[in-house]
Amino acid sequence: MRLILARLRSNAANLYALTRDNPAQLWRMARALVLGHQKYRGYFLRPEHWRQGESEVRKRLVRNLMRNRGLRLQPVWKKNAIDVLVQRSQGSMSHAAATDKLNALTEKLDTKADVTESYLAFAKACASIGLFEGSYGFVRLASSRIESDFESSSDLRVGMNAVRVAIHQQRADTARARWGRLKDAKVPPGSRDGFDMLGIYMSVWNKALVNPSQSHLSPEVRDWNADIANKRILILGPTLANIDELRADEYDFIAQIFRNRDLIQIPNRETGASREILYVGGLYFELKQLRREDLIARFGRLRHFVINAASSELGLPNTRRADSRLSSLFLRGTPNMIQVMCLDLLTAGAASLYVTGANFYASSEPYAAGEQDGFEKFGFCCAIASHNPSENRAIIANLVDAGVVSGDETFLSVLGLSDLEYLKLLDQYYGVPER
C-alpha cells in the first residue's frame, strides 16, 4: 500500500509539473480519456506490410489510423479512405481512381473533422503506396487545423507547429510574424531543442548568418564551428559528378554523401590538405562492422567525417554527429541527406552552399539521373514517404530564396515547382508504375 501511495504521489507531481508549464496539455489528456488515445504509428508502412493481403492490411490500417472507440463509432471518411488504401495496395484500384477518390474525400472534409496527427498519419499512409497527390489533401487539412488552433490557443507547441506550417508553405512574412510571437516565450525543457532549431532556421532564412554560441558546446563542436564558419561549400549530391566542370577550387570545402563507392578526392592545391567532408547516413551501420584500421585507411584523410545516426563511435578522430535537432523542423518525417548537409553546415555558420547532383527524387532513377541502384519502385515509395518529400523540398527552397543555398539547373528547377506539381512528378515516376 505504501508503494502504491508513493507511486500515486509521484504521478501527481509529474502531472502538475507538466500542466503548469503547458496548460493545454490538460485538454489533450481529457480528450484522450473520453475519445480514446491513439498514437499514430508509421513504422508499419513498409512494402512487406502492404503485401500481406487485404484482410491483414485493413487490420493494420484500422489499428493505426483509427481511435480506440470501436469501429461503429468511427467517422465514415476514415473508413472510406482506408478502403481506397487497401484496394490500391492490392492492385484492385488504379492509381488515377484512387487519387480521384482521395481528392474528393479531403475536399469535403472540414478542418475540425479530426486532429492534426490523424491527417498527417493518413498523408503518410497515402504516400507509402505512391499516392503522393492523394496525400496532399490530408496535409492541407493538417496545416489548416494547426492554423485554426493557433488563432485560439497560447500553447507553445501549437505555436511552433504554426511556424512550421508557414515554413513549409514558404510564407516568409507569416513565419516571421508567428516566430515573433513565440521567441520570448517560456520554453519547457522537452521543447527546447525544437525551439532552438526553429530559431536557427529563422535566422538563416532572414539572411542572418548563424554565429553559434560557444559556451555550452563541447571542444569538438567548437572546432567544427570554427572550421566551417563563413566558408563557401560545394555539396555533391547522390549522382556522380564531373568535378572538373564544377570549379571546385572556388570553394573552401567539398561535402559529399557516402554511397559505398570511390570518393572524389579534392586536396588543397597549395597545402595538399584534405578539403573533403563526408556525410554518412544509413550505411553507417555497415561501416561499424569494419576494423578500425580499415576505417582509418579509407576515411582517415578526410577533413570531417559526419554521421547522421544515433551514435558516432567509429574510433576515427575526424568523426562527429550531424545536428540531432534537424528533424524538429518537420511536422512529419525526417530530413534527407542533402537537407541534413545543408542544415548542418548552415547551423555551424557556413556562408554559402552550392548543391549539384540532387533533384529530390524527381527523375525515373532514385535520387538523381544516372544513379542506378536496382530498386523496386513500389518499395521506394515507402522510403520517400518516411522523409516527407514536400517538407524536405520546402526547407531548402526557403534557403535558396534567402541566398545562402544555390545549385545547378536541375536542383533549382525542382525547387521552383508547386507542391502539387512536385507530387504529381513523384506519382509519375514511383506511384503509377505497376508493382
Side-chain angles (χ1 to χ4, degrees), residues 13 16 85 88 204 219-220 298 302 355 374 415:
Y16 170 73
L85 293 174
R88 177 58 186 151
V204 176
E220 293 81 7
R298 195 170 179 183
L302 296 170
V355 181
L415 291 176

Side-chain angles (χ1 to χ4, degrees), residues 145-210:
R145 178 61 194 257
I146 289 170
E147 294 188 312
S148 174
D149 290 344
F150 178 64
E151 295 303 320
S152 58
S153 172
S154 59
D155 182 17
L156 178 65
R157 190 176 75 165
V158 173
M160 290 169 64
N161 277 341
V163 175
R164 293 181 182 110
V165 167
I167 289 172
H168 304 147
Q169 294 180 346
Q170 300 175 243
R171 295 154 57 197
D173 291 342
T174 301
R176 293 185 191 109
R178 291 175 180 175
W179 179 246
R181 289 172 54 178
L182 299 181
K183 64 180 182 181
D184 296 323
K186 180 180 179 182
V187 183
S191 299
R192 172 53 62 185
D193 282 352
F195 188 85
D196 288 348
M197 192 66 233
L198 276 175
I200 291 171
Y201 184 86
M202 291 302 300
S203 295
V204 176
W205 196 9
N206 290 328
K207 302 182 182 180
L209 294 181
V210 176

Side-chain angles (χ1 to χ4, degrees), residues 214 216-228 303-304 312 316-321 348:
Q214 305 294 315
H216 65 291
L217 300 176
S218 68
E220 293 81 7
V221 175
R222 267 183 249 153
D223 289 344
W224 159 257
N225 289 345
D227 212 15
I228 299 302
R303 184 66 168 251
H304 296 286
S312 57
L316 292 172
N318 56 353
T319 300
R320 63 172 290 274
R321 279 185 61 196

Side-chain angles (χ1 to χ4, degrees), residues 21-32:
D21 291 335
N22 192 358
Q25 190 71 12
L26 273 176
W27 162 242
R28 285 194 285 270
M29 291 177 178
R31 185 180 64 196

Side-chain angles (χ1 to χ4, degrees), residues 175 186 247 283:
K186 180 180 179 182
R247 297 182 178 178
L283 292 175

Side-chain angles (χ1 to χ4, degrees), residues 24-307:
Q25 190 71 12
L26 273 176
W27 162 242
R28 285 194 285 270
M29 291 177 178
R31 185 180 64 196
L33 182 66
V34 174
L35 301 179
H37 177 71
Q38 176 67 55
K39 184 176 181 180
Y40 297 98
R41 299 189 292 267
Y43 64 83
F44 74 98
L45 297 173
R46 296 193 291 263
E48 59 267 29
H49 295 130
W50 288 112
R51 293 193 181 97
Q52 288 182 333
E54 182 173 337
S55 60
E56 184 61 29
V57 168
R58 187 180 299 277
K59 187 190 305 180
R60 284 179 177 273
L61 289 172
V62 168
R63 184 167 64 241
N64 288 280
L65 297 178
M66 289 190 173
R67 290 184 174 272
N68 303 327
R69 288 179 286 165
L71 289 177
R72 293 183 180 179
L73 299 176
Q74 298 297 336
V76 173
W77 72 263
K78 285 192 174 185
K79 298 177 183 177
N80 292 340
I82 287 176
D83 282 342
V84 173
L85 293 174
V86 171
Q87 291 180 60
R88 177 58 186 151
S89 71
Q90 304 302 303
S92 57
M93 182 181 291
S94 70
H95 183 277
T99 299
D100 289 343
K101 285 181 178 294
L102 290 171
N103 288 343
L105 184 153
T106 52
E107 285 174 4
K108 294 178 182 178
L109 279 182
D110 181 78
T111 297
K112 297 288 187 180
D114 213 305
V115 296
T116 300
E117 292 81 2
S118 177
Y119 296 136
L120 293 176
F122 271 92
K124 182 174 182 179
C126 292
S128 293
I129 52 173
L131 293 169
F132 291 101
E133 182 186 347
S135 72
Y136 178 74
F138 290 111
V139 174
R140 177 182 53 79
L141 287 166
S143 299
S144 297
R145 178 61 194 257
I146 289 170
E147 294 188 312
S148 174
D149 290 344
F150 178 64
E151 295 303 320
S152 58
S153 172
S154 59
D155 182 17
L156 178 65
R157 190 176 75 165
V158 173
M160 290 169 64
N161 277 341
V163 175
R164 293 181 182 110
V165 167
I167 289 172
H168 304 147
Q169 294 180 346
Q170 300 175 243
R171 295 154 57 197
D173 291 342
T174 301
R176 293 185 191 109
R178 291 175 180 175
W179 179 246
R181 289 172 54 178
L182 299 181
K183 64 180 182 181
D184 296 323
K186 180 180 179 182
V187 183
S191 299
R192 172 53 62 185
D193 282 352
F195 188 85
D196 288 348
M197 192 66 233
L198 276 175
I200 291 171
Y201 184 86
M202 291 302 300
S203 295
V204 176
W205 196 9
N206 290 328
K207 302 182 182 180
L209 294 181
V210 176
N211 293 305
S213 171
Q214 305 294 315
S215 59
H216 65 291
L217 300 176
S218 68
E220 293 81 7
V221 175
R222 267 183 249 153
D223 289 344
W224 159 257
N225 289 345
D227 212 15
I228 299 302
N230 301 313
K231 299 297 194 301
R232 300 179 68 243
I233 301 173
L234 171 64
I235 293 179
L236 305 180
T239 191
L240 294 170
N242 185 342
I243 201 66
D244 294 331
E245 297 178 358
L246 293 173
R247 297 182 178 178
D249 288 337
E250 297 180 3
Y251 300 89
D252 299 296
F253 292 110
I254 314 297
Q256 55 187 309
I257 304 169
F258 179 59
R259 297 287 297 162
N260 212 2
R261 63 186 180 215
D262 291 338
L263 302 178
I264 298 172
Q265 298 187 32
I266 312 152
N268 186 296
R269 274 189 175 182
E270 297 178 0
T271 66
S274 172
R275 295 188 292 139
E276 300 157 76
I277 304 172
L278 183 67
Y279 278 80
V280 180
L283 292 175
Y284 162 74
F285 298 100
E286 293 183 22
L287 296 179
K288 282 190 72 173
Q289 310 305 314
L290 300 179
R291 297 181 306 167
R292 185 171 182 272
E293 309 87 81
D294 296 332
L295 290 169
I296 291 176
R298 195 170 179 183
F299 306 114
R301 64 176 172 76
L302 296 170
R303 184 66 168 251
H304 296 286
F305 187 85
V306 187
I307 305 291

